[in-house]
Structure formats: structure tokens, C-alpha cells
Amino acid sequence: MTSSTIDAPADVPVVDVDPFADDFLTHPQEYHRRLRDAGPVVWIPSYGIYGCAQHVSVHAVLNDHGTFISGAGVGLANFNKEAPFRPKSLILEADPPSHTKARAILARILSPRTVTQIRSTFAAEAESLIERLLQRQAAGEKIDAVKDLAEVYPLKVFPDAVGVGSAGRENLLLYGDMIFNAFGPRNERLRKAAEKVEPVTAWIMAHCQRENLSKDGFGELIWQAADAGEITAAEAPMLVRSFLSAGVDTTISGIANALFCLASHPDQYGLLHKDHSLARPAFEESLRYESSVQTFFRTTSCDTELMGVSLPKDTKVVTFLAAANRDERHWPEPDRFDVQRRPAGHMAFGSGIHGCVGQVVARLEGEVVLTALAKRVSRIELLGEPKRRLNNTMRAMASMPVRLIPA
Ligand code: OVM
């Protein structure tokens, strides 16, 4: 938190919270309620930013990409005023028309047709991982649902699909922790994550080069777009970087949070175990209930008005995606985890032109992991208190000791 606070503009409800402090990140729900109840648009004095926590206002901001732009950064830092901590993403931190071009290439690679092609491999990996865990457990080993399952699975299937070799994949975890911290303030958390920045960034950038990518992965398809003249040879590694930035930590947290939701709601796990077709809706509900990405920012491109509040040009607006996903103005009984809910319209993948371009792959991973679990495990028993890994932006988990009761 900054030592001084910034004066509130007139006529905006003030909510004096630090969305990046340990206490907020540990149990965000009560803070999210305060933010929502204060109004659709609030002022957060500790950072001098506007915030939206209601579903209606988060949706409004994300669906007006001309007024609420991404090119000045989607974290707290305003790239019009300070240099980005790394070269800007060509898709995340960009606006039309350049965003449109980058998005089209990634959308083509991460298409429903691709999912059809990778589905059986992704499903087989999920099944064999659950099988191995049950064997290790039968041999007397303790299983951690985060370290041994939620981290292992995406770290296997996604870099495989991109075409990254298996050595050094732990760099992807360190990199993810760093960039999702970097969307927040330069607090102690970011400083700690950034200590390792140089070797990790060097590893990531090396693995964006064509010669270090397999001939049959998503990475090579980016380079083929460069061959075809759609992008330059300098842009190709930057688009591969987006795969490596956005594709691992997000799905690890998505799966970890889903396992946490299911382990702490045994009745809901029971429904899934009885009916495996609930795997997909259960994953979706856990994204609503514990959204991996908690916040993204936009920057105003002009003086504007949002739901009765005047916003000056070039000001930061934080959207609390996770708060929108528990807004009782939008959802019946939002604090109930209900695998039968089918929560269409949740904000965990964002909304509008920047809505997650990899969501079909993320959903595939969630679905096949929960299906494999539902088939082989009748109950997930929590053996100790699950521990969170605090991150400025990501609702992440550190550990979750469990016993998987075989079906
Ligand atoms: C990117 C990127 C990085 C982090 C997250 C993200 C959730 C995208 O580099 O394009 O989307």
C-alpha cells in the first residue's frame, strides 16, 4: 500500500481497502461484498483508482473496449506513465486494430477443432495421472491435490501441446507467479517473485524460438503464421510467449480451486461421482465460485461516465471479476457452490473482445481431470487445512493434503 492516499473525486463512494494486501487476498469475499454494496463504481483511495465489483459494471467496462482500453496495461501500472515491466503482450495489452490481428491467429490455433484433436490425449493423461496417484497412495504415500495433481497435469499437457520440451518446466510456474503478481502494485510480493526474473525470463524467451519448439505444436503454428506473412518474425516469439504466460498458472489454479471446492463440499462431489456428465458444469461453477484471475484493469481513453460516475481520461479502473461472480444482484444464492447451477455469464474468463482466447482448452483440462476423478474416486477426504499461495492477481493454492477414496 502507498503511504499516502489520493483524494476522492466528488460523488463517488469511497471504499478504503487494499485489494493486494494479505488479508484481502486471504479471504476476498467480505471485501468484495463491501465493494459491491458501495455501488457499481467506487473509488479506492490507497491507489487512486476506480473499481467495479458488481456484475453489471464489470460487464459494462469489459464490453466497452473503446473507452476502457488495454493498451495502457491491464494491471495497476499505467503504461502511458511508466514503462511496462516486460515488452507488452501483443494480445493482452493491445487494442484494435493490432489486437484483432493477434487474436485471430491465437483463436484459430485454440479452436474447437483443435480441442477435438487433442481431447483423447488430454483425457488419457488425466486418467493415467489419477491411476498413478491411486497406486502411490496404495503404497503408503501421502497425496497433495495441488502439488501432485493440479500442478502436474497442466504442466504436462499444455507445454506438450505448445511443443515445449520437458526440461525446466518449473520455470513456467515461476514465470506465471511473477507476471500475475506484476498486474498488482510493486509490493513485497512482487519484489520476491521478481528476484528470479532474469533466468526465468531467459528460459521463457528461449522456448519461444522456433528451433526450441516441436514441429507439431501450437508454437510451430504461430511461426507458420509468420511464414505466411500474417505477422513478422519478431512478433512470432511474442505470441508464443502469450501461450506460456497465460496457459499454465491459470489452469493450475482453476483445477486446484475446483478440487478445493469439491473436497470441501462432499455432497457436491457425490453428485459428480454419480453423474460424470457434471464434470464440465462443476468446473464452470468452481470458476464462478473461486475465480483464478481475480482482477484485471482497464484505462479510460477519454473523459467518460459509467453508471452515474464521471471518470476522467487516462485513469485506471479495476474490475473485480471474482466479486462479479458472487454478486447477489445477478446470481441466486451466489455463496452456494452448486455443481448443477450452469453459471453462464460468469466473468472468470473475462468478457468482450479480450475474453479468454484459450477457454476451450482450459475447459477441456478441467473437464477431463474431473471426469477421471469422478470415475475412479468416490470421495476426496481432506487430511489437513488447504493452504493458499497468495498472489496479487491469481487465486492460487500452495497445498491440499488429501486421501482419494477409490471407487
Ligand atoms: C499474455 C498474457 C499474460 C497473462 C495473462 C493473460 C489471462 C495473457 O502474455 O498475453 O491472459
Side-chain angles (χ1 to χ4, degrees):
M1 174 120 91
T2 49
S3 54
S4 64
T5 60
I6 297 160
D7 281 346
D11 303 330
V12 195
V14 176
V15 185
D16 192 5
V17 293
D18 180 351
F20 308 101
D22 286 11
D23 195 56
F24 190 112
L25 298 172
T26 304
H27 34 89
Q29 290 86 10
E30 43 203 270
Y31 292 98
H32 286 163
R33 172 174 306 283
R34 269 175 67 194
L35 287 159
R36 280 193 306 265
D37 287 352
V41 185
V42 304
W43 176 255
I44 301 172
S46 49
Y47 296 104
I49 55 176
Y50 293 87
C52 295
Q54 292 182 7
H55 189 279
V56 65
S57 51
V58 169
H59 186 273
V61 167
L62 298 182
N63 285 277
D64 183 358
H65 59 264
T67 309
F68 299 100
I69 61 169
S70 292
V74 298
L76 176 65
N78 183 342
F79 296 168
N80 293 328
K81 296 175 182 167
E82 57 179 296
F85 94 105
R86 60 172 194 164
K88 289 203 283 180
S89 163
L90 302 181
I91 182 162
L92 180 75
E93 294 150 339
D95 298 298
S98 72
H99 165 268
T100 316
K101 191 180 75 168
R103 170 102 189 177
I105 295 166
L106 292 186
R108 190 173 70 210
I109 296 172
L110 302 171
S111 71
R113 211 191 65 170
T114 298
V115 169
T116 310
Q117 290 164 355
I118 63 179
R119 170 177 281 280
S120 62
T121 306
F122 275 46
E125 284 296 343
E127 285 172 10
S128 79
L129 176 56
I130 301 293
E131 221 52 61
R132 288 198 304 276
L133 290 179
L134 288 172
Q135 279 166 16
R136 283 168 51 185
Q137 198 182 248
E141 259 188 73
K142 291 262 176 294
I143 299 300
D144 189 299
V146 176
K147 294 278 167 231
D148 300 322
L149 175 50
E151 289 182 358
V152 171
Y153 181 74
L155 218 36
K156 167 73 180 144
V157 294
F158 192 70
D160 275 4
V162 173
V164 172
S166 35
R169 285 187 182 183
E170 64 283 357
N171 284 295
L172 291 163
L173 291 177
L174 296 168
Y175 192 66
D177 192 48
M178 197 159 65
I179 60 175
F180 283 97
N181 273 325
F183 294 126
R186 301 189 175 190
N187 55 13
E188 205 41 42
R189 216 181 321 285
L190 175 57
R191 272 190 288 277
K192 281 220 184 82
E195 274 169 15
K196 316 155 190 163
V197 65
E198 261 137 295
V200 172
T201 303
W203 188 95
I204 293 289
M205 292 321 294
H207 288 79
C208 295
Q209 294 303 321
R210 193 171 206 167
E211 61 271 25
N212 291 329
L213 291 160
S214 72
K215 287 280 160 260
D216 58 356
F218 302 157
E220 167 64 17
L221 293 174
I222 297 278
W223 281 97
Q224 287 176 14
D227 293 343
E230 286 182 83
I231 47 171
T232 66
E235 289 172 324
M238 290 296 291
L239 279 186
V240 180
R241 193 191 72 175
S242 285
F243 284 142
L244 303 184
S245 302
V248 178
D249 224 27
T250 49
T251 49
I252 287 174
S253 293
I255 291 168
N257 288 331
L259 295 172
F260 173 64
C261 289
L262 290 165
S264 51
H265 296 83
D267 57 319
Q268 296 298 306
Y269 185 76
L271 295 173
L272 169 63
H273 178 55
K274 256 192 283 166
D275 178 2
H276 305 165
S277 74
L278 284 173
R280 213 173 161 86
F283 186 62
E284 215 60 31
E285 171 68 348
S286 61
L287 285 169
R288 183 195 69 82
Y289 195 80
E290 292 280 5
S291 310
S292 313
V293 179
Q294 294 273 298
T295 46
F296 265 136
F297 289 71
R298 294 291 187 264
T299 311
T300 53
S301 63
C302 53
D303 292 346
T304 188
E305 199 217 280
L306 177 62
M307 302 189 72
V309 174
S310 307
L311 309 177
K313 177 185 160 114
D314 204 28
T315 195
K316 281 278 167 177
V317 181
V318 59
T319 63
F320 291 91
L321 306 176
N325 286 341
R326 299 263 199 130
D327 183 359
E328 68 272 26
R329 295 157 195 80
H330 186 85
W331 310 95
E333 293 189 81
D335 294 328
R336 199 157 71 85
F337 175 69
D338 173 7
V339 299
Q340 295 173 312
R341 181 189 294 265
R342 292 182 170 72
H346 73 67
M347 293 289 139
F349 288 124
S351 182
I353 65 165
H354 289 280
C356 179
V357 73
Q359 60 185 277
V360 294
V361 178
R363 288 195 171 105
L364 172 66
E365 291 184 31
E367 179 195 336
V368 296
V369 167
L370 296 190
T371 303
L373 203 62
K375 281 187 192 161
R376 290 291 284 117
V377 173
S378 64
R379 218 151 40 83
I380 307 172
E381 211 178 288
L382 274 174
L383 295 183
E385 194 61 35
K387 288 199 174 60
R388 293 237 159 239
R389 167 167 62 85
L390 298 189
N391 179 284
N392 285 336
T393 304
M394 186 69 63
R395 185 100 173 118
M397 309 242 359
S399 71
M400 187 168 124
V402 293
R403 177 154 43 234
L404 304 174
I405 313 297

